[in-house]
Structure formats: C-alpha cells, structure tokens
Amino acid sequence: MDCPEAWVVPWIHQLQPGTRLRVGPFWSVIDPFVHAKWHDVSSRLARLWCSRVEGEAVPSEAQADELEVDIERHAVRVGLGIESRRLASKLARTLDLADLERIAPVVLPALHPVALGLDVDATLVGRGLLRDACRAFGLPTGLQPIDDPGIELPGRVRSLTLGADDFCATWSRSGGMRWRPGAAREGIDLFAIEVQADASPHDAFVALAPPRPRRFLASDSHPVRRGPSKRAVDTREWLRLEREFRFSADPSDSNGRKRIHDVTLDVTLDREQRRLDVSVCMRGALARHRYRLCVPLVHWPRPARFSVAGGERAVEGAFGATPVDGRIEFAGRDTPRTETIVTIEGDDVIEAELYPQRNDMVCALTLCRESDEALEVPCIERSFSISLSRTSLGS
C-alpha cells in the first residue's frame, strides 16, 4: 500500500495489521506556503521513519515529485488559512529544531492543506492544536500590551508627530497618517485599512461589489494615548489610534444589517533603529472578506525581494497577491550613489501585494481572509515591523 503521509501509518497498522507500506518522502504533505523550517522537519522525520521500519522504502525521485504541490497553481489560496499559518510561522521562527521535531507528530497534521482552509472542521481543529503548542512554550498568540501607560490625550488633537525630520511619522485630521523616511518625500495614507468582499471562498480572490476595496484612512481615527510618559526611560515614541467603521455584512444587500468594526492601531517609532512597529487589533471581522493594511513606499521598488516556501524571488515593479515567508525587502535608489531598502517583516507577514496608488507604490499586507462563516475570526491581532536602511553604491 502506498502511504504518502507517514503520520497516518500507525492508524493503518491498527486497522490492517501486517500491511506492508511504502512511505512517502514527507512526514506529512505540508501546505507549500507554511514556513520552510516545517518542511525540513517533515523530511527528516520521514527519513528516520523509513530507516527504522522494515519493509518500508522511500519512493523514487519521480514519485516524490508527484507529491509536490505546484506553488504557482495554488498561490491564490494562500490567504485562506492565514490564522493557522501565522501561528505555525511563530513556532518555526522561535523554537529550536529539536523542539519542533518533538511536537511535529501532533502539529504537522494541522499544516496539511486540508487543515488550512479546505475543510471547516479540520481547520478549526488544526488552529486549536497550533494555539496549544504556542501556549505550551509560552509564546503569546496575540499582541503584547505596551508596558508604559503613556499620556492620555485630550478629545480634540489636530496633529501629532513621532520622530524628527530624518525619520518621522505624522498623524493629522486633515492628512491622516504619513511617514517620511529620511530626506525622501512623504508617503501618504500610511496604515490605511482596505476591506473587500470575496465571491470565491475556495479558490482565487474574486471581488464582489463594489469592485474597488473600501479604504478606511487613519485621518478618521482619534488618538487616545501617546508615549513615553514623563517617567519612562525608553527613547522610543508611540501613539495609539482608535476608530469604528461599519458596512453591510452581505455586500449584495445594500440595505442589509451593518457590522461594526472596532479598530485599535498602535504605532511605535524607534528613531535610532530607524524602524516603525505597528500593531492592529480589529473586532467584528467578517468571513468571506479580505482585510489588508497598506504601507506606502516612497521609491519605486527595483526590485522587491522575498521568499515563497523557502525559494527566493526578486520582482521588478508591481505584483499581485503573493505568499511571503515573513519578510519582504524593497530596494530603490535615493541618489545615484545611495540605495534605500525598506524591509517589512514579522510572523504575521503571510501575504503581500504591491500596486500603484496616487504617487506611491503601496504594499498591502493581508490581515485576514477566511473562507466560510464557520471560520469567522472574532478578533484579528497582527503586528509588523517596517525598517529603513541605506547602502552606499560604488562609483
């Protein structure tokens, strides 16, 4: 009997004692968009299994290739299991290989394509397994609160600035959130939230009406706190914005029931490290909708570099919704002798798209996209880090 997924072997032996099995090269056929470290763990466990069990053999290379999933063909469904993928990425980035191998027999089935959006029950069970694994190692599954209580802001504030001219972010009622990385011009509509209904929950993203996503800008938010407080020693500055927006739960029904979204945005600027950290907490998210956070780039990316399932890529100019393994770099020229690199990274960087908007190129980071009402996420918590570096080019 051919058995491409080694983790089901014990159950087959219980049901059919004495069956000779030919085990595939993977401990479990893991979804290709899960962190590459899990694929290494899977391969290692499969080889160990095949070397210990008499009568089992690794298939030929041709048979192994048939088990691979075509990344280009399935790239459109990367967002469907984003909640589970981010937990798997957090485990892979934080734990040692020995710890991952110890929990692999339990966790790897949760990373199977069926448990990442193709089946409601399997997805819910898999998500629970990943959360339990994070808790067992003391890894937070949500956002970490800011220790410094900061200063409570009055009801009406016109504008606030974090940082200084060489690296700053500004919020104002008239201009929303903007950032200026160094001497470059400002990038507008920083951390705008895009929401768009999805007509195809099981395949490619197909937008319902309206055809263009709704954009909720930071100018409509109100600042509630900023830091550091006077007694704090931390040199970093931070700002908390809150807002509420609503739209129809059913996009095809213009008079349908409205769903309220409560959004909290924490922006932390580290001038010394030239880095922006942003945390988003949103309640009231709808299933069959895609939520994205927008980061404007102040230079044309030439190229954008990222990895998909462990494979490196470099893309010139705009690109569509693409899976990303936790990090993406945008290189561009400031002057003929200076190159600027904007890096967006974090466990929650799972899917990104780059497109032109006004005078900027905008990187849209997928916050959430779920495929079924039963998988509705009551609270979306995501965090990203945006850093700036410059390199001098030789003459």
Side-chain angles (χ1 to χ4, degrees), residues 192-213:
I193 294 177
E194 283 189 354
V195 187
Q196 195 165 17
D198 186 0
S200 177
H202 301 297
D203 200 353
F205 183 86
V206 181
L208 290 179
R212 300 179 71 84

Side-chain angles (χ1 to χ4, degrees), residues 35-101:
H35 196 284
K37 201 170 177 182
W38 283 112
H39 291 270
D40 298 338
V41 171
S42 173
S43 268
R44 174 176 166 78
L45 291 180
R47 286 194 298 270
L48 288 174
W49 182 281
C50 294
S51 65
R52 289 173 184 171
V53 181
E54 185 181 355
E56 297 179 358
V58 178
S60 65
E61 290 185 7
Q63 290 172 307
D65 290 340
E66 292 178 2
L67 297 174
E68 293 283 357
V69 182
D70 185 355
I71 291 178
E72 293 293 342
R73 182 181 170 192
H74 292 81
V76 290
R77 49 168 299 277
V78 66
L80 298 181
I82 197 170
E83 188 73 14
S84 296
R85 283 183 176 89
R86 79 179 190 93
L87 295 175
S89 176
K90 184 182 288 289
L91 286 166
R93 282 168 162 255
T94 311
L95 301 184
D96 295 331
L97 198 60
D99 290 328
L100 292 181
E101 289 178 359

Side-chain angles (χ1 to χ4, degrees), residues 197-260:
D198 186 0
S200 177
H202 301 297
D203 200 353
F205 183 86
V206 181
L208 290 179
R212 300 179 71 84
R214 303 186 185 191
R215 290 171 61 87
F216 299 91
L217 306 181
S219 55
D220 296 323
S221 303
H222 59 277
V224 290
R225 285 190 174 276
R226 73 169 298 174
S229 58
K230 292 181 180 178
R231 62 177 180 272
V233 223
D234 196 351
T235 55
R236 298 177 304 168
E237 300 177 65
W238 60 270
L239 174 67
R240 172 168 294 172
L241 301 168
E242 292 181 353
R243 72 158 299 167
E244 175 188 287
F245 59 83
R246 62 181 70 197
F247 51 83
S248 177
D250 182 1
S252 61
D253 183 2
S254 57
N255 298 317
R257 177 176 58 87
K258 302 290 183 182
R259 173 66 67 90
I260 298 175

Side-chain angles (χ1 to χ4, degrees), residues 14-37:
Q14 287 178 17
L15 295 173
Q16 301 179 14
T19 303
R20 291 171 60 84
L21 300 174
R22 187 188 303 110
V23 183
F26 298 108
W27 182 267
S28 172
V29 181
I30 302 177
D31 189 284
F33 307 122
V34 172
H35 196 284
K37 201 170 177 182

Side-chain angles (χ1 to χ4, degrees), residues 132-347:
D132 290 343
C134 288
R135 293 191 190 103
F137 287 94
L139 303 179
T141 56
L143 300 177
Q144 292 297 302
I146 299 175
D147 296 331
D148 179 20
I151 303 166
E152 188 173 353
L153 296 171
R156 294 189 63 82
V157 179
R158 288 189 177 180
S159 64
L160 291 165
T161 300
L162 305 177
D165 290 340
D166 59 338
F167 189 73
C168 68
T170 305
W171 173 88
S172 67
R173 291 190 179 277
S174 57
M177 198 83 187
R178 300 171 177 235
W179 76 308
R180 184 191 296 275
R185 60 183 176 81
E186 282 189 328
I188 62 176
D189 293 347
L190 177 65
F191 303 141
I193 294 177
E194 283 189 354
V195 187
Q196 195 165 17
D198 186 0
S200 177
H202 301 297
D203 200 353
F205 183 86
V206 181
L208 290 179
R212 300 179 71 84
R214 303 186 185 191
R215 290 171 61 87
F216 299 91
L217 306 181
S219 55
D220 296 323
S221 303
H222 59 277
V224 290
R225 285 190 174 276
R226 73 169 298 174
S229 58
K230 292 181 180 178
R231 62 177 180 272
V233 223
D234 196 351
T235 55
R236 298 177 304 168
E237 300 177 65
W238 60 270
L239 174 67
R240 172 168 294 172
L241 301 168
E242 292 181 353
R243 72 158 299 167
E244 175 188 287
F245 59 83
R246 62 181 70 197
F247 51 83
S248 177
D250 182 1
S252 61
D253 183 2
S254 57
N255 298 317
R257 177 176 58 87
K258 302 290 183 182
R259 173 66 67 90
I260 298 175
H261 292 63
D262 292 314
V263 182
T264 301
L265 198 70
D266 285 333
V267 181
T268 304
L269 183 140
D270 191 326
R271 184 180 170 188
E272 186 177 344
Q273 299 292 329
R274 303 180 73 80
R275 189 180 72 198
L276 271 176
D277 295 326
V278 58
S279 300
V280 185
C281 179
M282 181 187 299
R283 291 174 177 82
L286 291 163
R288 295 190 62 184
H289 281 67
R290 180 176 65 177
Y291 294 80
R292 304 198 296 180
L293 189 73
C294 297
V295 179
L297 304 173
V298 294
H299 60 263
W300 186 269
R302 299 176 181 271
R305 295 186 180 90
F306 52 90
S307 63
V308 180
E312 296 295 329
R313 291 193 185 181
V315 179
E316 294 278 349
F319 56 83
T322 307
V324 179
D325 291 343
R327 179 186 176 93
I328 181 168
E329 292 183 352
F330 299 98
R333 290 284 182 90
D334 249 359
T335 68
R337 295 180 178 274
T338 309
E339 185 179 53
T340 301
I341 299 176
V342 176
T343 304
I344 302 175
E345 61 183 329
D347 295 330

